[in-house]
Coordinates of all heavy atoms in Angstrom, one line a residue:
F1285 N -27.3 6.3 -30.3 CA -27.4 5.0 -30.9 C -27.8 4.0 -29.9 O -28.6 3.1 -30.0 CB -26.0 4.7 -31.6 CG -26.2 3.5 -32.5 CD1 -26.8 3.6 -33.8 CD2 -25.7 2.2 -32.2 CE1 -27.0 2.5 -34.6 CE2 -25.8 1.2 -33.1 CZ -26.4 1.3 -34.3
Y1286 N -26.9 3.9 -28.8 CA -27.2 2.9 -27.8 C -27.9 3.4 -26.6 O -27.7 4.6 -26.3 CB -25.7 2.3 -27.4 CG -25.1 1.6 -28.5 CD1 -23.9 2.2 -29.0 CD2 -25.5 0.4 -29.0 CE1 -23.3 1.5 -30.1 CE2 -24.8 -0.3 -29.9 CZ -23.6 0.4 -30.5 OH -23.0 -0.2 -31.6
K1287 N -28.6 2.7 -25.9 CA -29.4 3.1 -24.7 C -28.5 3.7 -23.7 O -28.7 4.7 -23.1 CB -30.1 1.9 -24.0 CG -31.3 2.3 -23.3 CD -32.0 1.1 -22.9 CE -33.4 1.6 -22.1 NZ -34.2 0.5 -21.9
E1288 N -27.3 3.1 -23.5 CA -26.3 3.7 -22.5 C -25.8 5.0 -22.9 O -25.1 5.8 -22.1 CB -25.2 2.6 -22.1 CG -24.5 2.2 -23.3 CD -24.9 1.1 -24.0 OE1 -26.2 0.7 -23.8 OE2 -24.3 0.3 -24.8
D1289 N -25.9 5.5 -24.2 CA -25.4 6.7 -24.7 C -26.3 7.9 -24.2 O -25.9 9.0 -24.4 CB -25.2 6.7 -26.2 CG -24.2 5.8 -26.6 OD1 -23.3 5.4 -25.8 OD2 -24.1 5.4 -27.9
R1290 N -27.3 7.6 -23.6 CA -28.3 8.6 -23.1 C -27.6 9.6 -22.2 O -27.8 10.9 -22.3 CB -29.5 8.0 -22.4 CG -30.5 9.2 -21.8 CD -31.7 8.6 -21.2 NE -31.2 7.8 -20.1 CZ -32.1 7.2 -19.3 NH1 -33.4 7.4 -19.4 NH2 -31.7 6.4 -18.3
I1291 N -26.6 9.3 -21.6 CA -25.8 10.1 -20.6 C -25.2 11.3 -21.4 O -25.1 12.4 -21.0 CB -24.7 9.4 -19.8 CG1 -23.9 10.2 -18.9 CG2 -23.7 8.7 -20.8 CD1 -24.8 10.8 -17.7
Y1292 N -24.8 11.1 -22.7 CA -24.2 12.1 -23.6 C -25.2 13.0 -23.8 O -25.0 14.4 -23.9 CB -23.4 11.7 -24.7 CG -22.4 10.6 -24.3 CD1 -22.6 9.3 -24.7 CD2 -21.2 10.9 -23.7 CE1 -21.5 8.3 -24.4 CE2 -20.3 10.1 -23.3 CZ -20.5 8.8 -23.6 OH -19.5 7.8 -23.2
R1293 N -26.4 12.6 -24.1 CA -27.6 13.5 -24.5 C -28.0 14.3 -23.3 O -28.3 15.5 -23.4 CB -28.8 12.7 -25.0 CG -29.9 13.7 -25.4 CD -30.5 13.3 -26.6 NE -31.4 14.4 -27.1 CZ -32.7 14.5 -27.0 NH1 -33.3 13.6 -26.3 NH2 -33.3 15.5 -27.4
Q1294 N -27.9 13.7 -22.1 CA -28.2 14.4 -20.9 C -27.3 15.5 -20.6 O -27.7 16.6 -20.2 CB -28.2 13.5 -19.6 CG -29.3 12.5 -19.6 CD -29.2 11.5 -18.4 OE1 -28.2 10.9 -18.2 NE2 -30.3 11.3 -17.8
I1295 N -26.0 15.4 -21.0 CA -25.0 16.4 -20.9 C -25.4 17.6 -21.8 O -25.4 18.7 -21.4 CB -23.6 15.9 -21.2 CG1 -23.2 14.9 -20.0 CG2 -22.7 17.1 -21.4 CD1 -22.0 14.2 -20.3
L1296 N -25.7 17.3 -23.0 CA -26.1 18.3 -24.0 C -27.4 19.1 -23.6 O -27.4 20.3 -23.9 CB -26.2 17.6 -25.4 CG -25.1 17.2 -26.1 CD1 -25.3 16.4 -27.4 CD2 -24.1 18.2 -26.4
V1297 N -28.3 18.3 -23.1 CA -29.6 18.9 -22.7 C -29.3 19.9 -21.5 O -30.0 20.9 -21.5 CB -30.6 17.8 -22.3 CG1 -31.8 18.5 -21.6 CG2 -31.1 17.1 -23.5
G1298 N -28.4 19.5 -20.6 CA -28.2 20.4 -19.4 C -27.2 21.5 -19.8 O -27.0 22.4 -18.9
A1299 N -26.6 21.5 -20.9 CA -25.5 22.5 -21.2 C -26.1 23.9 -21.4 O -27.2 24.1 -21.9 CB -24.7 22.2 -22.5
K1300 N -25.4 24.9 -20.9 CA -25.7 26.3 -21.1 C -25.5 26.7 -22.5 O -24.3 26.5 -22.9 CB -25.0 27.2 -20.1 CG -25.6 26.9 -18.6 CD -24.8 27.8 -17.7 CE -25.3 27.5 -16.2 NZ -24.8 28.5 -15.2
V1301 N -26.4 27.4 -23.1 CA -26.2 27.7 -24.5 C -26.7 29.2 -24.7 O -27.5 29.7 -23.8 CB -27.0 26.8 -25.5 CG1 -26.4 25.5 -25.5 CG2 -28.5 26.8 -25.0
N1302 N -26.3 29.8 -25.7 CA -26.7 31.2 -25.9 C -28.2 31.5 -26.2 O -28.7 32.5 -26.1 CB -25.8 31.8 -26.9 CG -24.3 32.0 -26.5 OD1 -24.1 32.1 -25.3 ND2 -23.4 31.9 -27.4
F1303 N -28.8 30.4 -26.8 CA -30.2 30.7 -27.3 C -31.2 30.1 -26.4 O -32.3 30.0 -26.8 CB -30.3 30.0 -28.7 CG -29.9 28.5 -28.8 CD1 -30.7 27.6 -28.4 CD2 -28.6 28.3 -29.2 CE1 -30.2 26.3 -28.5 CE2 -28.1 27.0 -29.4 CZ -29.0 26.0 -29.0
G1304 N -30.8 29.8 -25.2 CA -32.0 29.4 -24.1 C -31.7 28.0 -23.8 O -30.9 27.2 -24.3
K1305 N -32.7 27.5 -22.9 CA -32.6 26.1 -22.4 C -33.2 25.1 -23.4 O -34.2 25.4 -24.1 CB -33.2 26.1 -21.1 CG -32.6 26.7 -20.0 CD -33.4 26.9 -18.6 CE -33.4 25.5 -18.0 NZ -34.2 25.5 -16.7
H1306 N -32.7 23.9 -23.4 CA -33.2 23.0 -24.2 C -34.7 22.6 -23.6 O -34.8 22.7 -22.4 CB -32.3 21.7 -24.1 CG -32.7 20.5 -25.0 ND1 -33.7 19.7 -24.7 CD2 -32.2 20.1 -26.2 CE1 -33.9 18.8 -25.7 NE2 -33.0 19.1 -26.7
H1307 N -35.6 22.2 -24.4 CA -36.9 21.9 -24.0 C -37.0 20.8 -23.0 O -38.1 20.7 -22.2 CB -38.0 21.8 -25.0 CG -37.7 20.5 -25.9 ND1 -36.8 20.5 -27.0 CD2 -38.1 19.2 -25.8 CE1 -36.9 19.4 -27.6 NE2 -37.6 18.5 -26.7
L1308 N -36.0 20.0 -22.9 CA -36.0 18.8 -21.9 C -35.3 19.3 -20.6 O -35.1 18.5 -19.7 CB -35.3 17.6 -22.5 CG -36.3 16.8 -23.5 CD1 -35.3 15.8 -24.2 CD2 -37.5 16.3 -23.0
A1309 N -34.7 20.5 -20.6 CA -34.0 21.0 -19.4 C -34.9 21.6 -18.5 O -34.8 22.8 -18.2 CB -32.9 21.8 -19.8
K1310 N -35.8 20.9 -17.9 CA -36.8 21.4 -16.9 C -36.6 20.7 -15.6 O -36.3 19.4 -15.5 CB -38.2 21.1 -17.4 CG -38.6 21.9 -18.7 CD -40.0 21.6 -19.2 CE -40.3 22.3 -20.4 NZ -41.6 21.9 -20.9
S1311 N -36.7 21.4 -14.6 CA -36.5 20.8 -13.2 C -37.5 19.7 -12.9 O -37.2 18.9 -12.1 CB -36.5 21.9 -12.1 OG -37.8 22.5 -12.2
S1312 N -38.7 19.7 -13.5 CA -39.7 18.8 -13.2 C -39.4 17.4 -14.0 O -39.8 16.3 -13.5 CB -41.0 19.2 -13.8 OG -41.1 19.5 -15.1
I1313 N -38.4 17.5 -14.9 CA -38.1 16.2 -15.6 C -37.0 15.5 -14.8 O -35.9 15.9 -14.9 CB -37.6 16.5 -17.1 CG1 -38.9 17.1 -17.8 CG2 -37.2 15.2 -17.7 CD1 -38.5 17.5 -19.2
R1314 N -37.4 14.3 -14.3 CA -36.3 13.6 -13.5 C -35.3 12.9 -14.3 O -34.2 12.9 -13.9 CB -37.2 12.6 -12.6 CG -37.9 13.2 -11.5 CD -38.7 12.1 -10.7 NE -39.4 11.1 -11.5 CZ -40.8 11.0 -11.5 NH1 -41.4 11.7 -10.7 NH2 -41.3 10.2 -12.2

Side-chain angles (χ1 to χ4, degrees):
F1285 196 74
Y1286 299 107
K1287 198 170 191 172
E1288 58 271 15
D1289 290 342
R1290 178 175 58 175
I1291 185 68
Y1292 304 115
R1293 182 139 195 263
Q1294 286 174 315
I1295 292 167
L1296 291 172
V1297 165
K1300 292 182 181 184
V1301 291
N1302 292 336
F1303 51 84
K1305 293 172 72 175
H1306 190 280
H1307 64 270
L1308 289 175
K1310 295 179 181 171
S1311 60
S1312 61
I1313 298 176
R1314 293 183 301 248

